[in-house]
Amino acid sequence: MTKTNSKREKDNQGDSLPVYECRPPAWVPPTHKAADVGYLGFHPPHPTEDGGALSETEVKHGYMLGVYVPMSEFAGAIEARSQKEPTSRRLFDDDAITELEALMNEIFCRRTESIPAVPASTFKIPSRVTLNDTRRQSWFADLANPDVPLHKLGKNVPHGAKGHDLLDLLQSNNVAIPRAVWFLRVFGAGLRNKPNFNPTQYSVDWTNVMTGYLRKQLGDIALPSAPRPGLNIKQTFKGVLSDSESRERWVSRFGYCLQLLRPFYAEGLVDSRTFLTWLVQQMSTCNLAQAGFVAHLADEYLDGMLASRALTKPFVDAYRHLLQINWRN
């Protein structure tokens, strides 16, 4: 075999070799699990990318990308100025920052002029009107009806019922929780016109209304006392949970109040610290039958209570003391 033939065989073998492809190390994670968008921190060169083939002028003076910003009335002036002025003057001139600030202000001003104006808000806080019992009951019936739009009811809201009576109206009409929250928001917004209105104090006052409503319902739960001679417990004890009709009515009212309390607490309509402090105090004064409902409330709002040792420790101590007393008895 001659040297020429040997060289030709080597060239043929070289043609059959695969083209080298730059791959990242095995430990480099991909950018996306499904899409092929490359690897994190790995940017290999490609023959087809900009700057892959450089001319003699680009090698000597540097490679410059094309203009990607559309040529607007001020973009052309920026490009022309950046090409004419020396780089050293643009970077080290004392007035460069000032000129750049003026340029950016002009850009934002022209951008603001091109943005369509936001129309003025047409929303008005509903006026409060005084209604008799029949018309007020009709209004709350419409509030409970999901087919009646809220913008129709938002023209005016009834004035008069407040506090526990207002919560009883919402519960007795079985108003959906989102619509009840809307009504109570609108009801509270109407108080902003009062002099010396304090939103923070209003949330505290509304928290006291909610906790007072819960305390009133928990007060209906009582433990039977010691039976008198000749009478059994059933004859002497008439608890709210002992009768099926009163139990159903109590559970409905208490459950509705808990559902209403959740969005109030999440959206800051009730003061969290005031509510959690009441929860701790309630555990220290309740009986064993009420303690189960108070513990359920504490479990639902446990995250807020655990954020403060001043609330968590007294609550645990009160619950442990209650269990110890009833265990001895």
Side-chain angles (χ1 to χ4, degrees), residues 7 16 26-27 35-36 53 72 78 97 134 138 154 158 161 193 260 269 271 286:
K7 183 179 181 181
S16 63
W27 50 267
D36 186 13
S72 62
I78 298 173
I97 301 299
T134 303
S138 176
N193 297 327
L260 202 58
L269 296 178
D271 185 71
C286 67

Side-chain angles (χ1 to χ4, degrees), residues 217-228:
Q217 296 175 65
L218 290 174
D220 295 336
I221 303 176
L223 290 175
S225 57
R228 290 178 293 177

Side-chain angles (χ1 to χ4, degrees), residues 55-73:
S55 63
E56 182 179 355
T57 305
E58 291 172 340
V59 171
K60 292 181 179 180
H61 302 284
Y63 176 75
M64 182 178 294
L65 294 174
V67 180
Y68 292 100
V69 180
M71 298 299 292
S72 62
E73 56 183 359

Side-chain angles (χ1 to χ4, degrees), residues 9 41 76 80 181 318:
E9 289 181 0
V181 173

Side-chain angles (χ1 to χ4, degrees), residues 158-181:
H159 172 66
K162 58 182 179 179
H164 298 176
D165 295 336
L166 184 60
L167 295 174
D168 284 335
L169 279 173
L170 294 173
Q171 188 273 330
S172 61
N173 287 275
N174 196 21
V175 179
I177 298 300
R179 294 172 72 92
V181 173

Side-chain angles (χ1 to χ4, degrees), residues 1-275:
M1 182 181 294
T2 61
K3 293 182 178 181
T4 305
N5 293 336
S6 177
K7 183 179 181 181
R8 185 178 300 150
E9 289 181 0
K10 290 181 179 180
D11 293 340
N12 292 337
Q13 292 177 1
D15 295 340
S16 63
L17 293 176
V19 179
Y20 172 75
E21 183 180 359
C22 186
R23 302 288 298 177
W27 50 267
V28 177
T31 304
H32 194 273
K33 294 182 179 180
D36 186 13
V37 292
Y39 297 84
L40 295 175
F42 181 74
H43 308 287
H46 298 281
T48 57
E49 67 182 357
D50 295 336
L54 300 177
S55 63
E56 182 179 355
T57 305
E58 291 172 340
V59 171
K60 292 181 179 180
H61 302 284
Y63 176 75
M64 182 178 294
L65 294 174
V67 180
Y68 292 100
V69 180
M71 298 299 292
S72 62
E73 56 183 359
F74 53 87
I78 298 173
E79 293 294 334
R81 181 177 180 181
S82 63
Q83 293 176 5
K84 292 180 181 180
E85 294 184 356
T87 305
S88 59
R89 183 180 181 277
R90 295 201 308 270
L91 293 178
F92 301 104
D93 190 1
D94 295 338
D95 298 333
I97 301 299
T98 304
E99 293 179 1
L100 181 60
E101 182 181 5
L103 176 63
M104 294 304 298
N105 290 335
E106 185 178 357
I107 290 175
F108 281 114
C109 289
R110 297 194 182 189
R111 181 183 178 185
T112 304
E113 294 174 358
S114 62
I115 296 177
V118 179
S121 176
T122 57
F123 174 77
K124 295 182 180 180
I125 297 179
S127 59
R128 304 173 67 184
V129 295
T130 303
L131 303 177
N132 54 33
D133 294 341
T134 303
R135 296 184 61 183
R136 181 189 304 158
Q137 187 64 33
S138 176
W139 193 94
F140 278 95
D142 292 338
L143 180 63
N145 186 1
D147 296 332
V148 179
L150 292 178
H151 69 83
K152 179 181 178 181
L153 299 173
K155 296 179 180 179
N156 49 62
V157 294
H159 172 66
K162 58 182 179 179
H164 298 176
D165 295 336
L166 184 60
L167 295 174
D168 284 335
L169 279 173
L170 294 173
Q171 188 273 330
S172 61
N173 287 275
N174 196 21
V175 179
I177 298 300
R179 294 172 72 92
V181 173
W182 170 87
F183 167 70
L184 293 172
R185 279 183 174 275
V186 171
F187 184 82
L191 301 177
R192 292 180 176 271
N193 297 327
K194 289 187 175 182
N196 301 326
F197 175 76
N198 187 355
T200 305
Q201 184 59 37
Y202 176 74
S203 64
V204 174
D205 294 341
W206 185 247
T207 306
N208 293 331
V209 171
M210 293 295 297
T211 55
Y213 195 66
L214 288 171
R215 185 190 300 109
K216 179 181 178 181
Q217 296 175 65
L218 290 174
D220 295 336
I221 303 176
L223 290 175
S225 57
R228 290 178 293 177
L231 297 176
N232 56 29
I233 294 179
K234 291 184 178 180
Q235 293 174 327
T236 58
F237 178 66
K238 299 294 183 181
V240 68
L241 300 181
S242 60
D243 181 65
S244 60
E245 183 178 351
S246 62
R247 179 174 63 250
E248 182 179 356
R249 184 169 55 254
W250 185 91
V251 170
S252 176
R253 184 183 295 110
F254 189 74
Y256 185 86
C257 188
L258 295 185
Q259 295 179 32
L260 202 58
L261 182 62
R262 293 187 187 104
F264 282 176
Y265 185 88
E267 299 176 16
L269 296 178
V270 297
D271 185 71
S272 59
R273 179 166 292 275
T274 303
F275 170 71

